[in-house]
Amino acid sequence: MVEPAGPTTRRRLPGSTRRRTPGPARRRRAVPPPSGILLGTVLALLAGVLLVGAYANASFAPDRRNDVAGQREVPTSVVTGGPIISASSELVRSYRLPPRTIALTFDDGPHPVWTREVLKVLAAHQVKGTFFVLGSQVARHPEVTRELTDGGHQLGVHTFTHPDLAELPAWRQRLEYAQTQLAVAGATGTRTSLVRFPYSSHPGAIDNRDWPVVTAAGDLGYLTLLNDTDSQDWSLPGVDRIVANAAPDGDAGAVTLWHDAGGDRSQTVAALDRFIPMMKERGYRFVTATEGLNLAFAAAGVDHRMDAATPAGTGERWRGRTLIWAVQGADRMLTVFGVLFVVVGVLTVGRTLVLFVLAGRHARRRRARDWSWGPPVTAPVSVIVPAYNEKEGIAAAVRSLAGGDHPGGIEVIVVDDGSTDGTADIVDALGLPNVRVVRKPNGGKPSALNTGLALARHDLIVMVDGDTVFEPDAVRRLVQPFADPQVGAVAGNVKVGNRRSLIAKWQHIEYVIGFNLDRRLYETLRCMSTVPGAIGGFRREALRYAGGMTDDTLAEDTDITIALGRAGWKVVYEETARAWTEAPATMGQLWKQRYRWSYGTMQAMWKHRRSVLDRGASGRFTRRCLFFLSLFGVLLPLLAPVIDLLALYGLFFLDRRATAVAWLVMLGVQTLTAVVAFRLDREKLGVLWVLPLQQFVYRQLMYLVMVQAVVTALTGGRLGWQKLRRTGLEPAVRNG
């Protein structure tokens, strides 16, 4: 027989001499109950960010169709006319630049590198250009857009997302123009009347699909600018070919098409540096689009002058700035999501590998034939059951405890904490000789546990929730680790008893993977953070060193476990000591339970935060414990939604196949972890068919629970104890 013994050199924790006496719990400021407000707010915010990012990245823009639509509806004067088109539903005119006149036009910018390189070449040769900008790029690089207008260059609309406008309805076409105008107004304080459509070329290429787009833009007051020559620099044909493509025939005037974004534009920059002086030597002058148009007017004897740029109104400027902020914010958020995706992936894979190695080592060591905690522990045990309105399950719980096969004997103390449903009377009616019932005013679970601890006759203490059913050998197995005098507490193996519903099956999987497998890891690393309230064994001496149970947090089990670790006691996991608990049966009940757990855990972490600077056992334990709790208990659950968000985003706006493969890989990692955990826990694998479904509902609920718990912690709110509704475990579980 091994009597309980403990180290004599334990460091008493600060404040542990002040034992709280049972009494009314301190009044807590209640937080509004969980509702759909948080869910709706979070989802709306994230959806807005992702949709703005998707729109700015042209995810809604249709690609160009290559079919030929004919030109029967296009006026001959346009097909054979010049590249400057003033077309509306009432009047159509087209213009050419005068001979030996060139307008350099650039598409798809601005770009923070290549647009500035182009500007350097233009400045060196004292030439102005016309830049047809994408609204999304203006929003991303407003400072480059301002450099264009400050340098005397001209701006034109090239749509917001570069779609094939002929494939868009009229309202989307107007939106493309309007959003680009807003971006330009926000960046430069001006608006422009020039437009060039994506995928457009020379007038002779306008077909029946394109012509309605041209006339609709004309009705909105836009002047359409096509081109005479196309450098085709986008295809990177080489500097010589680009120069030859851009040069007009003979002395003809020309609107030339170049690009200052969309890829590596080094050939464009080099070609411009050669093209401009070459054309000047041929007697050409360089103009902006409207300068060339005004020259054309003068040559035709038309008394009219046009300026593409006009001042934007104050309201338009502010709306433009808001659009710029929205696009930049969405871009930054998507970048953050990308980084977090990598972080979550690394954490998930790293945690999985560590679990496989250390938890597997723990299981192999325990199953070795020569493994033993030491001589059998047969000292008597006091079992404390705090109970508040537990009429549904208290009888089954007490019977399972009183009938345990521990050879040293079991004393069961049921502390009725002010129940109003007759819990104490139910226990009295059982008439079990080794069961005592203690009635006290409601003071909270820690108060009830301390009351039971004060009345317990023995030095080995087992603490049990009032809804938990023990297997016959659970108490005996739970206390065997106390053969090691350094062990101060033992975590048992909690099982979900009500596994019939889908929600309960999900919790069963979580208990096996997230709790029991983790406990193997944490024991190996000497940083166990929680002895579960459902089944936990303690030395009375260890509890005394740690200061007893307190109501400083809502997770008194985590609080006392960290305190024990700080005091230098070993906390271990005994997987053969099994108890069955009733898991929440509804989403609302589950939310309340996990909300309290998450918030209480963060309270415990905050309470013990300063001990990371302690020397000796306290500091070593706390640094390890809080590191893993912060990493895998708080940070990873908070960041895990990134996987689902980017998966959803990718299915709609990115490569669907790559997204699906990435998501399936993550699911495969989780499934592999589940299989290993279930094998180690000797559980049947059949229930794992619900694991894929868990990814779509249960995980999201856990995300939101953690988010609300963090918000509550940051805002300083405090939660009251939230009692769950019990129905009692199934008879099969009650019988072990």
Side-chain angles (χ1 to χ4, degrees):
M1 171 179 176
V2 175
E3 298 296 334
T8 60
T9 58
R10 304 293 174 195
R11 186 177 70 83
R12 191 176 299 275
L13 297 179
S16 62
T17 57
R18 294 187 292 111
R19 177 74 57 84
R20 283 188 174 85
T21 58
R26 291 178 292 172
R27 189 174 184 85
R28 299 181 185 272
R29 179 162 61 87
V31 173
S35 67
I37 296 177
L38 176 66
L39 173 61
T41 301
V42 172
L43 291 181
L45 178 62
L46 293 177
V49 169
L50 293 177
L51 287 174
V52 170
Y55 179 58
N57 287 306
S59 299
F60 301 109
D63 294 329
R64 177 68 172 176
R65 288 172 53 183
N66 295 320
D67 56 322
V68 179
Q71 294 180 306
R72 179 177 299 177
E73 300 175 10
V74 185
T76 303
S77 61
V78 171
V79 175
T80 60
I84 305 173
I85 302 173
S86 175
S88 67
S89 56
E90 298 179 356
L91 182 64
V92 176
R93 289 180 179 173
S94 65
Y95 305 92
R96 295 184 183 275
L97 293 187
R100 295 188 181 184
T101 305
I102 288 179
L104 296 174
T105 66
F106 301 88
D107 284 3
D108 297 347
H111 188 278
V113 174
W114 298 115
T115 299
R116 287 184 170 126
E117 291 298 314
V118 168
L119 288 178
K120 290 178 183 178
V121 174
L122 298 183
H125 296 288
Q126 298 182 333
V127 169
K128 305 300 180 185
T130 302
F131 291 80
F132 287 90
V133 294
L134 292 173
S136 57
Q137 288 298 99
V138 173
R140 293 184 173 108
H141 310 293
E143 69 287 348
V144 181
T145 311
R146 284 192 294 272
E147 291 174 22
L148 290 172
T149 56
D150 291 346
H153 302 279
Q154 203 165 62
L155 299 182
V157 170
H158 197 46
T159 71
F160 195 83
T161 61
H162 206 276
D164 181 1
L165 291 174
E167 294 298 311
L168 298 181
W171 69 268
R172 276 289 308 276
Q173 295 176 17
R174 293 192 297 271
L175 182 65
E176 289 286 330
Y177 306 145
Q179 297 298 319
T180 306
Q181 292 282 17
L182 280 178
V184 171
T188 69
T190 64
R191 55 183 295 117
T192 177
S193 59
L194 297 179
V195 66
R196 173 177 284 161
F197 312 121
Y199 309 106
S200 62
S201 59
H202 54 85
I206 298 177
D207 59 22
N208 295 335
R209 293 174 58 253
D210 300 322
W211 182 241
V213 177
V214 176
T215 57
D219 289 335
L220 294 173
Y222 285 101
L223 186 70
T224 300
L225 202 72
L226 303 180
N227 67 77
D228 293 295
T229 63
D230 184 352
S231 68
Q232 298 186 12
D233 54 346
W234 57 270
S235 64
L236 303 178
V239 174
D240 293 340
R241 186 72 261 171
I242 293 174
V243 172
N245 289 339
D249 295 332
D251 294 333
V255 175
T256 63
L257 173 60
W258 308 71
H259 294 81
D260 61 323
D264 183 354
R265 299 274 74 92
S266 56
Q267 290 185 12
T268 301
V269 173
L272 276 172
D273 201 28
R274 184 186 302 178
F275 178 78
I276 294 172
M278 182 186 77
M279 299 311 295
K280 283 184 175 181
E281 289 179 0
R282 289 174 50 179
Y284 274 81
R285 56 183 169 180
F286 288 84
V287 296
T288 63
T290 55
E291 287 174 345
L293 180 59
N294 289 330
L295 291 173
F297 286 157
V302 177
D303 186 16
H304 178 74
R305 289 190 58 81
M306 179 178 181
D307 187 357
T310 56
T314 302
E316 191 172 18
R317 295 184 186 187
W318 278 108
R319 292 197 303 274
R321 290 169 188 165
T322 301
L323 176 62
I324 290 172
W325 296 334
V327 171
Q328 292 182 346
D331 280 350
R332 292 190 182 101
M333 186 62 69
L334 288 173
T335 300
V336 170
F337 281 169
V339 173
L340 293 181
F341 181 87
V342 175
V343 171
V344 171
V346 170
L347 286 178
T348 302
V349 173
R351 177 178 179 272
T352 302
L353 293 177
V354 172
L355 278 173
F356 285 174
V357 173
L358 298 184
R361 182 187 303 171
H362 177 278
R364 288 191 298 272
R365 185 172 67 250
R366 291 290 177 86
R367 292 177 181 176
R369 291 184 178 180
D370 58 348
W371 164 256
S372 172
W373 290 108
V377 176
T378 58
V381 176
S382 293
V383 180
I384 303 172
V385 186
Y388 174 71
N389 289 347
E390 297 285 359
K391 69 176 183 179
E392 292 83 4
I394 192 65
V398 172
R399 285 196 190 97
S400 70
L401 294 167
D405 65 4
H406 181 59
I410 298 173
E411 170 196 40
V412 180
I413 304 172
V414 178
V415 182
D416 184 278
D417 191 37
S419 297
T420 58
D421 65 348
T423 295
D425 295 335
I426 293 173
V427 178
D428 278 335
L430 296 177
L432 298 174
N434 59 338
V435 176
R436 283 190 289 164
V437 179
V438 179
R439 292 174 170 86
K440 63 178 288 294
N442 180 255
K445 186 177 180 181
S447 172
L449 289 171
N450 282 331
T451 298
L453 185 60
L455 297 173
R457 299 188 179 101
H458 308 303
D459 291 327
L460 295 184
I461 307 295
V462 172
M463 296 182 180
V464 184
D465 287 341
D467 61 344
T468 303
V469 175
F470 271 38
E471 293 189 354
D473 61 352
V475 172
R476 172 172 56 83
R477 292 181 178 276
L478 185 66
V479 299
Q480 294 311 306
F482 291 120
D484 181 349
Q486 293 184 338
V487 173
V490 183
N493 190 338
V494 184
K495 297 292 184 182
V496 173
N498 52 327
R499 302 181 185 178
R500 294 178 180 175
S501 68
L502 186 61
I503 297 176
K505 286 182 171 64
W506 286 336
Q507 292 174 82
H508 168 48
I509 294 173
E510 183 186 23
Y511 272 58
V512 175
I513 302 174
F515 299 156
N516 295 338
L517 188 60
D518 282 354
R519 289 191 178 105
R520 297 177 187 273
L521 169 66
Y522 294 149
E523 180 191 326
T524 303
L525 296 175
R526 290 293 300 271
C527 62
M528 185 85 73
S529 61
T530 304
V531 171
I535 176 171
F538 301 88
R539 290 188 193 275
R540 183 192 294 271
E541 178 186 3
L543 291 173
R544 184 170 62 251
Y545 270 100
M549 310 299 291
T550 74
D551 63 352
D552 294 339
T553 75
L554 289 176
E556 76 290 331
D557 46 6
T558 299
D559 186 8
I560 189 62
T561 306
I562 295 177
L564 292 172
R566 287 180 56 198
W569 292 96
K570 287 173 60 177
V571 182
V572 299
Y573 172 54
E574 178 50 70
E575 67 270 22
T576 63
R578 305 202 307 176
W580 299 80
T581 189
E582 182 179 357
T586 66
M587 285 294 185
Q589 293 287 310
L590 179 62
W591 178 293
K592 290 181 180 180
Q593 182 194 68
R594 298 311 169 85
Y595 189 16
R596 177 175 60 82
W597 286 5
S598 300
Y599 184 69
T601 298
M602 285 185 282
Q603 284 181 310
M605 294 170 64
W606 183 255
K607 174 181 176 180
H608 295 279
R609 69 192 185 281
R610 292 190 177 90
S611 62
V612 297
L613 302 177
D614 288 351
R615 297 181 179 179
S618 177
R620 288 194 298 272
F621 171 83
T622 310
R623 284 188 287 272
R624 286 196 299 267
C625 178
L626 295 192
F627 172 77
F628 282 102
L629 268 182
S630 301
L631 204 61
F632 299 129
V634 178
L635 184 62
L636 186 56
L638 280 177
L639 298 183
V642 172
I643 299 291
D644 294 333
L645 284 172
L646 290 187
L648 189 63
Y649 183 83
L651 287 175
F652 284 99
F653 306 122
L654 302 176
D655 187 325
R656 294 182 180 179
R657 179 177 296 180
T659 299
V661 169
W663 189 85
L664 289 174
V665 167
M666 296 301 297
L667 178 61
V669 171
Q670 293 178 358
T671 303
L672 180 61
T673 304
V675 170
V676 171
F678 271 61
R679 288 297 187 190
L680 293 179
D681 230 31
R682 302 180 186 276
E683 288 281 356
K684 296 180 180 179
L685 300 179
V687 73
L688 292 182
W689 71 267
V690 304
L691 184 60
L693 299 177
Q694 194 178 36
Q695 314 305 306
F696 299 104
V697 179
Y698 189 82
R699 284 198 344 179
Q700 285 68 29
L701 181 68
M702 295 300 101
Y703 300 157
L704 294 171
V705 165
M706 181 58 67
V707 169
Q708 183 159 345
V710 170
V711 170
T712 304
L714 292 177
T715 55
R718 301 200 68 174
L719 288 173
W721 189 271
Q722 301 187 40
K723 173 67 179 173
L724 301 182
R725 185 175 63 86
R726 302 297 184 185
T727 59
L729 295 177
E730 293 90 342
V733 175
R734 294 176 186 172
N735 296 329

